[in-house]
Amino acid sequence: MKRVLSLALSVLMVLSLLAGCGGQQDSTDDAAPSETGETRDDLVIALATEPTQLDPHYLSDTNSSLVVLNTHDPLFRRLPSGEIEPALAEDYELSEDGTSITLYIRQGVKFQDGTELTAEDVAFSLNRATATAQSEAYTESFKEAVVVDDYTVRLDLLYPDVAVLPLLTQGNNCIVPKHVVEEVGETEYAGNICGTGPYKLVEWQKGAKLVLEANEDYWQGAPAIKRLEYRILAETTTAIVALETGSVDLVMNIGALDAQLVQENPDLAYAETTSTTTYYVGFNCAKAPLDNKLVRKALAMAVDKDAVILGAVDGAGVVAANVMPDGTTGAPAEADQPTIPYDPEAAVKLLEEAGYGPGELTVHLAVREGATKKAGTILQDQWKAIGVNTVVDTLERSAMLNDMYNGNLEAYIVGDVALTMDASMQTSTLDSSTIPYTNSTFYSNPEYDALNDEQAVQMNDPERRVEIITQMMEIEVEDAPRVHLYHPVSNIAYNKNLNVEVSPTVEGYFTYGMSWN
C-alpha cells in the first residue's frame, strides 16, 4: 500500500570537508544587526548549554540534535504543528505485513561537498545508526537497510512498528555521506560533518559559539538566513539582556518572570506552547525501600503536582497525567489517561500496610540544580507530611546519569522528551528490555512487556492500539514505578521582526523556515 506525502515546499575530500563540509575556520567576526534599513540575513540564537558533538548517529543531547537537524537532513521532518512532511525521502511504501518500508529517495540532492546523495548513503546511514548505542532508542525495530537501486532503499524491520515514520524524523537518523565517513574514519566524522542540510558549520569556538553559513545549493532553495550563530549563554539573565540589547535575536525556554518582562518590551515578541517533555520522579524498583510497590504508590499519592509547578517553574507548566502529552500518536487524550490521584490520607495507610510508621522511612532523592532541585525541596515537604524523611541529593548531570544507569539511586527527578510524539517511544521507557538506559526505573513486568509488543504492531487498528496503551497506563498506575509531575511550557522570546513559529521541542527550530520582516 503506497502512502504519498505532499511536499510542503516544492586531498580533495579532506580539503572539501574543511572548506565546504563543516570544517572549523578561525573566524571571530560577529555579524551585527543591519542598520541600513535593509532586510537582515543573519540570526543569533542563544543556547543555555553547548552541543557535545555533531555526528548524527552519536547524538545524546537536545542542543546537539538542534544543530544537526540544521546541517543534515532526515528522511522526513516533523513540523512544529506535529505534521510529518517529506525530506530526503519524497515517498514511501509500507509492506502488507508491516515488516519493511520502501523509501524512494529524492533525486538531485547534494551533500555540501557537491557529491550527489544516493541510496548507498541512506542505507549506510541507517545501518550505522542501528549499530550505534546512542541511537538505539530510535532504531530498536530496525533490522537492515538494503539498497534496491540508486534511489530506492528498503528498510527491513524486526517487527511491524507503527512508529517507524516518526523515528525517521529524528536527528539520530539523519543521513551522512558514506564516502566522507569512510575517508575520515568512523570516529572523526563529528569534526568533519558534511550533510545535505541548509547550513554548513564554519566555526566552533568551544564554550562561546557555533557559526553556520547558508548552503546556497540546498535542495529546497537557498535559506533566507545566510549567517546563523548559536551563542552559548549559560545564564538566562545574560541571554535576556543580550536579547534586549539586540546582540541576540532568539532565546528559548525562559522563566515566567522573564516572559512577563519580554511581553512588556515593545521591541520583543513572545510565544509559548506546551512542550513534549514530561518531568517525573523515577523510583528504582530494584532497590529497597522502593522495591516495595506500596511504598512507591504512597509517595506518588502524596504529590501535589500543582504546588510543584508553582514552586519549581513559577507556574509555567501543565499537570502531567502520564508520560504522553496531548497529541501523542496512539495514546488517549491526556484528560482520559489513567493517573495516580493525590490522596495523602490514603498514602499514610499504604505506608502503614508496608510496615512503616511516621518517621521510620527515609528516601534519597537525586536532583540537579535548577527546577528539579526546587521540585525536590517541595516533594521533601510533601513527603514529610505523610511521615517520610527525604534526603535531597544535588548531582551534576553526568554523575546523576551514571548513577541512574548503574542502579545506584533510590529516586530521581528527570525530564523525558517525547521526541517522536508516538506512544511506542514512551511505552518503551518502562519495558524491561530497555533497562537501564531507557528504563532507568529498573521496572520489570511481563504483562506490561507483552502489551508493549502487542501495541507496536497495531498498524491497521489504531483504536485497538489506544485500548492497549490505556491498559498499560492502568498497570503503571497500579505499580507506580514513577510519578509524573508536569509538562513545562516551551516558549521563545525573540526580536519582533523575526518570523518564527514556536515549537514544543528545541529540535523543532529549523532555521530554514525563519526570515526577517
Side-chain angles (χ1 to χ4, degrees):
M1 59 187 162
K2 201 167 187 181
R3 313 278 183 90
V4 180
L5 300 179
S6 59
L7 184 59
L9 304 168
S10 50
V11 162
L12 176 61
M13 179 62 67
V14 174
L15 289 175
S16 68
L17 291 173
L18 295 175
C21 288
Q24 298 160 26
Q25 301 174 356
D26 291 329
S27 170
T28 57
D29 295 333
D30 287 341
S34 172
E35 298 178 357
T36 64
E38 298 179 356
T39 301
R40 286 181 55 186
D41 62 2
D42 65 303
L43 178 66
V44 181
I45 298 176
L47 296 182
T49 58
E50 187 169 20
T52 54
Q53 62 84 42
L54 301 179
D55 185 330
H57 307 144
Y58 290 85
L59 291 177
S60 59
D61 66 280
T62 297
N63 286 343
S64 294
S65 296
L66 168 66
V67 178
V68 162
L69 284 165
N70 279 279
T71 56
H72 297 71
D73 284 311
L75 292 165
F76 302 92
R77 279 193 185 271
R78 182 182 288 277
L79 304 178
S81 64
E83 180 184 354
I84 293 176
E85 68 174 10
L88 295 184
E90 60 183 356
D91 196 3
Y92 74 99
E93 186 174 353
L94 195 63
S95 66
E96 290 294 336
D97 63 1
T99 59
S100 70
I101 179 171
T102 300
L103 303 159
Y104 299 98
I105 309 306
R106 192 177 302 280
Q107 298 186 30
V109 176
K110 292 184 178 180
F111 288 103
Q112 292 158 3
D113 65 353
T115 304
E116 186 174 2
L117 167 77
T118 71
E120 286 284 348
D121 301 296
V122 174
F124 172 81
S125 297
L126 295 178
N127 289 331
R128 184 173 183 255
T130 303
T132 305
Q134 288 84 345
S135 296
E136 181 180 4
Y138 310 96
T139 60
E140 188 176 2
S141 64
F142 296 4
K143 181 180 180 181
E144 183 183 14
V146 180
V147 173
V148 176
D149 59 37
D150 286 349
Y151 299 100
T152 307
V153 171
R154 187 185 72 248
L155 176 59
D156 293 330
L157 305 176
L158 295 169
Y159 50 84
D161 187 354
V162 292
V164 64
L165 212 62
L167 289 171
L168 293 174
T169 69
Q170 298 303 298
N172 289 72
N173 282 320
C174 276
I175 305 306
V176 301
K178 178 181 178 182
H179 66 282
V180 173
V181 177
E182 292 179 341
E183 178 73 21
V184 302
E186 174 68 21
T187 61
E188 300 302 316
Y189 180 74
N192 298 277
I193 62 171
C194 185
T196 60
Y199 291 94
K200 311 173 185 178
L201 177 68
V202 295
E203 178 188 1
W204 189 346
Q205 290 185 18
K206 295 290 185 178
K209 64 182 179 180
L210 291 85
V211 179
L212 283 65
E213 67 178 22
N215 175 10
E216 296 295 330
D217 298 319
Y218 187 52
W219 60 271
Q220 285 187 282
I225 302 296
K226 303 302 182 184
R227 181 185 186 276
L228 171 60
E229 177 184 329
Y230 294 107
R231 189 172 298 173
I232 314 304
L233 299 173
E235 298 296 330
T236 302
T237 301
T238 305
I240 293 297
V241 170
L243 179 66
E244 291 173 335
T245 59
S247 61
V248 161
D249 303 307
L250 187 150
V251 182
M252 295 177 279
N253 297 330
I254 64 176
L257 297 179
D258 287 323
Q260 183 177 345
L261 293 175
V262 167
Q263 292 176 81
E264 294 171 354
N265 189 323
D267 296 323
L268 303 179
Y270 173 83
E272 68 177 37
T273 187
T274 303
S275 80
T276 60
T277 297
T278 304
Y279 278 89
Y280 67 90
V281 182
F283 298 133
N284 187 338
C285 301
K287 186 178 181 67
L290 297 176
D291 57 346
N292 187 327
K293 179 174 71 174
L294 297 175
V295 173
R296 298 195 302 267
K297 198 160 187 178
L299 294 175
M301 295 182 78
V303 174
D304 180 349
K305 299 178 183 180
D306 288 313
V308 172
I309 293 170
L310 184 62
V313 291
D314 298 323
V318 177
V319 168
N322 207 285
V323 75
M324 300 182 200
D326 273 333
T328 302
T329 303
E334 190 153 14
D336 300 326
Q337 293 178 10
T339 191
I340 299 172
Y342 173 55
D343 191 341
E345 292 183 4
V348 171
K349 293 178 181 179
L350 286 173
L351 287 174
E352 291 175 352
E353 186 179 346
Y356 292 100
E360 294 180 354
L361 175 64
T362 298
V363 173
H364 287 259
L365 177 65
V367 299
R368 293 174 59 198
E369 289 289 352
T372 62
K373 183 175 182 178
K374 293 178 182 178
T377 301
I378 295 166
L379 292 179
Q380 186 178 46
D381 291 337
Q382 293 180 357
W383 289 344
K384 183 178 181 179
I386 63 168
V388 176
N389 303 312
T390 307
V391 178
V392 178
D393 299 316
T394 305
L395 304 177
E396 295 294 331
R397 179 177 183 272
S398 59
M400 183 169 175
L401 291 177
N402 184 66
D403 281 346
M404 279 174 54
Y405 298 153
N406 286 301
N408 297 331
L409 303 180
E410 290 182 7
Y412 52 86
I413 303 178
V414 293
D416 181 272
V417 183
L419 289 174
T420 66
M421 285 300 288
D422 185 273
S424 286
M425 176 159 282
Q426 303 314 103
T427 58
S428 71
T429 59
L430 288 182
D431 193 297
S432 64
S433 68
T434 66
I435 294 172
Y437 297 110
T438 301
N439 176 3
S440 299
T441 66
F442 293 82
Y443 173 72
S444 180
N445 184 323
E447 182 183 4
Y448 185 96
D449 292 350
L451 288 170
N452 195 30
D453 291 340
E454 184 180 354
Q455 68 82 22
V457 300
Q458 302 299 320
M459 308 192 80
N460 299 313
D461 194 346
E463 291 184 2
R464 174 57 183 154
R465 188 180 184 216
V466 171
E467 291 176 359
I468 296 169
I469 290 172
T470 301
Q471 187 177 350
M472 295 171 70
M473 290 179 172
E474 291 170 348
I475 293 173
E476 180 179 354
V477 167
E478 176 61 27
D479 290 349
R482 58 192 175 191
V483 54
H484 308 92
L485 301 175
Y486 63 91
H487 307 298
V489 166
S490 178
N491 60 30
I492 48 173
Y494 57 101
N495 185 308
K496 69 176 183 179
N497 293 314
L498 179 66
N499 297 308
V500 58
E501 181 178 0
V502 66
S503 169
T505 66
V506 169
E507 297 93 330
Y509 289 104
F510 186 40
T511 309
Y512 180 79
M514 300 182 194
S515 63
W516 289 98
N517 290 328

